Amino acid sequence: MSKTEQQEAEYIINTYNRKPGLTPCLVRGEGVYVWDKGGKKYLDFLGGLAVNVIGHCHPQVVEAICKQAGILSHVSNIYYSVPQVKLAEQLIQNTMPGGKVFFANSGTEAIEAAIKLSRRYKPGRFKIISAERSFHGRTLAALTATGQLKYREHFNPLPEGFSYATYNDLESFAALIDEQTAAILIEPVQGEGGIYVAEENFISGLRELCDREGILLIFDEIQSGMGRTGKLWAHQNWGVRPDLMAVAKGLGGGLPIGALVAAEDYTSVFEPGDHASTFGGNPVVCSAAMAVLKIILTEGFLDDVHEKGLYLKKGLEKLISSYPDLAAEYRGLGLMCALELKKPVARQIYEKCITTGLLINAVGDTTLRLLPPLIITMDELQEGIDIIGSALTEC
Ligand SMILES: Cc1ncc(COP(=O)(O)O)c(C=O)c1O
């Protein structure tokens, strides 16, 4: 074992399943590449799990961070803060004119804020309906909203009032609504569950259902947002607006941030003291986020993401026809996609890719998840597709 592996085994609580001798120790990143301690270079098709949307160490983000760190790195939320209000203005103007933002530090916290706001909205309405196979985070309420038993089963008793319907089955959501229901919570594209894209009828049907029943529609855009699907937010692909939206991951350009965006009708639900965060809306993180947003909103950037998404889709579909015994299906939207396998070899392929210098993710036994930085070029996409192809050959 290397010294770092030994120290990790000795001092870090084992929650991440790192493998000595296989899992790289990453020390440097630039663009779509990262390097390990031994100098080996990897093409990053995982992008820090959808965080590094504009790649690693983008010069504009580095500059924004360094500049703000030298001026004021933290200020209590008791006070006004210029980077915080500027970022909020940018988010609202590009997302939900008339709405407002609450800043937190992670996706989970953005979801917690959405759940609390939904419960605060109408007294007596506290139930949240989410989808099976969903993932919404790890704190107790976000975990309970997560529609995967494996994450919840050891942490009982969990908070009350959560139930799970079937993704893309509108009737199953309608059937769970009662007079105590506060909100429906879904990912427009399910990420951790293995990349499942909402069908148009389903997502627009949910909007109509929530309007009819007087309940809130919450979109978890933590993984699918920030340009990943070729639109700033995935829900813009269907033109369906949420009442609340949870954002995180890619927004901070590698620094921790979470944000709850509330539509106009819900901006006065929380009152002072109802919710708070010590670090939420930190000046350095907000400065980084503004730099990220500026890049993503540059004219043509999102159209390029759409084109690159089509290129990746085509490349994966070619692999499916070249390896019919092993590769089953492409799922995805933009640069958020999965290759479904016919055999339980996802972990094996993931390990082979690491050896060859490509970082991807195995979700369960049969799904490979790809979330490359949005700044990737077609040539770099092809490089990754070829490495996955070689790993399929070896399997
Ligand atoms: C859709 C979704 N929601 C919530 C979360 C939790 O975010 P965080 O890990 O920042 O707390 C994640 C993280 O993977 C996610 O993908």
Side-chain angles (χ1 to χ4, degrees):
M1 277 213 266
S2 72
K3 184 151 187 239
T4 306
E5 288 166 349
Q6 274 169 23
Q7 287 169 321
E8 197 259 8
E10 195 169 348
Y11 298 115
I12 305 249
I13 293 176
N14 182 19
T15 63
Y16 292 111
N17 206 16
R18 298 172 183 132
K19 288 264 155 46
L22 173 79
T23 310
C25 173
L26 301 174
V27 294
R28 187 167 80 80
E30 192 182 321
V32 294
Y33 293 98
V34 284
W35 285 262
D36 71 14
K37 245 180 153 177
K40 182 173 169 183
K41 185 178 174 186
Y42 302 84
L43 175 58
D44 188 0
F45 258 40
L46 186 60
L49 270 166
V51 166
N52 300 97
V53 284
I54 50 161
H56 297 270
C57 299
H58 193 290
Q60 282 166 249
V61 176
V62 173
E63 193 193 334
I65 292 171
C66 294
K67 195 171 161 203
Q68 184 58 44
I71 297 172
L72 182 67
S73 63
H74 176 74
V75 60
S76 163
N77 274 316
I78 290 170
Y79 307 107
Y80 289 108
S81 162
V82 177
Q84 186 181 106
V85 295
K86 278 191 176 169
L87 174 62
E89 181 184 27
Q90 284 185 15
L91 270 174
I92 289 303
Q93 284 181 352
N94 290 291
T95 303
M96 279 189 207
K100 289 189 182 177
V101 179
F102 171 84
F103 285 116
N105 310 288
S106 66
T108 301
E109 287 179 52
I111 291 290
E112 288 283 333
I115 292 170
K116 280 182 73 177
L117 194 151
S118 308
R119 287 186 164 192
R120 183 81 164 88
Y121 180 52
K122 281 189 189 161
R125 284 190 173 264
F126 65 97
K127 294 184 180 170
I128 309 286
I129 306 169
S130 56
E132 282 155 11
R133 220 175 37 207
S134 62
F135 185 85
H136 298 294
R138 303 284 192 162
T139 55
L140 281 174
L143 172 71
T144 313
T146 291
Q148 299 188 57
L149 186 61
K150 65 177 180 189
Y151 293 121
R152 303 193 308 262
E153 62 186 345
H154 301 299
F155 301 101
N156 290 311
L158 294 168
E160 256 183 76
F162 291 83
S163 60
Y164 316 97
T166 308
Y167 198 70
N168 277 330
D169 177 352
L170 188 59
E171 282 313 307
S172 71
F173 278 82
L176 291 175
I177 296 175
D178 64 24
E179 67 286 350
Q180 293 176 319
T181 302
I184 287 176
L185 163 65
I186 64 146
E187 297 156 83
V189 181
Q190 290 189 319
E192 301 297 308
I195 312 290
Y196 290 87
V197 183
E199 286 163 14
E200 180 150 18
N201 286 349
F202 168 64
I203 199 158
S204 59
L206 280 183
R207 179 67 275 170
E208 285 163 24
L209 181 64
C210 288
D211 288 343
R212 203 163 55 239
E213 299 284 346
I215 60 179
L216 278 72
L217 180 59
I218 310 170
F219 287 160
D220 178 341
E221 290 263 15
I222 290 162
Q223 194 167 137
S224 59
M226 292 305 288
R228 180 138 301 276
T229 66
K231 300 277 184 198
L232 183 58
W233 312 113
H235 68 262
Q236 293 170 334
N237 286 288
W238 302 276
V240 175
R241 64 179 167 85
D243 298 309
L244 304 179
M245 176 171 75
V247 185
K249 286 195 187 272
L251 178 61
L255 298 191
I257 192 167
L260 166 68
V261 184
E264 197 166 359
D265 289 349
Y266 308 97
T267 52
S268 307
V269 176
F270 277 154
E271 290 175 10
D274 277 345
H275 203 46
S277 166
T278 295
F279 288 111
N282 169 281
V284 177
V285 184
C286 287
S287 300
M290 276 188 279
V292 176
L293 266 179
K294 194 171 169 195
I295 295 162
I296 290 183
L297 293 172
T298 307
E299 209 184 322
F301 186 94
L302 291 170
D303 293 337
D304 285 352
V305 173
H306 174 74
E307 290 304 316
K308 291 173 200 174
L310 293 179
Y311 186 88
L312 181 56
K313 179 175 186 225
K314 252 195 205 152
L316 294 175
E317 283 172 348
K318 256 193 208 154
L319 290 184
I320 293 167
S321 42
S322 307
Y323 300 89
D325 295 341
L326 200 49
E329 175 189 46
Y330 160 92
R331 289 191 298 272
L333 195 59
L335 289 174
M336 180 173 187
C337 62
L339 181 62
E340 188 65 34
L341 304 168
K342 289 184 178 163
K343 293 177 190 163
V345 290
R347 179 87 199 173
Q348 220 176 306
I349 291 175
Y350 152 86
E351 292 185 2
K352 282 186 191 305
C353 285
I354 289 185
T355 314
T356 330
L358 176 74
L359 303 182
I360 58 168
N361 178 232
V363 185
D365 295 335
T366 58
T367 311
L368 301 175
R369 178 171 50 158
L370 312 177
L371 302 162
L374 311 183
I375 53 150
I376 198 162
T377 63
M378 303 287 193
D379 284 348
E380 289 158 347
L381 280 173
Q382 192 56 52
E383 187 186 337
I385 295 164
D386 291 345
I387 295 177
I388 296 171
S390 314
L392 290 171
T393 309
E394 287 178 42
C395 277

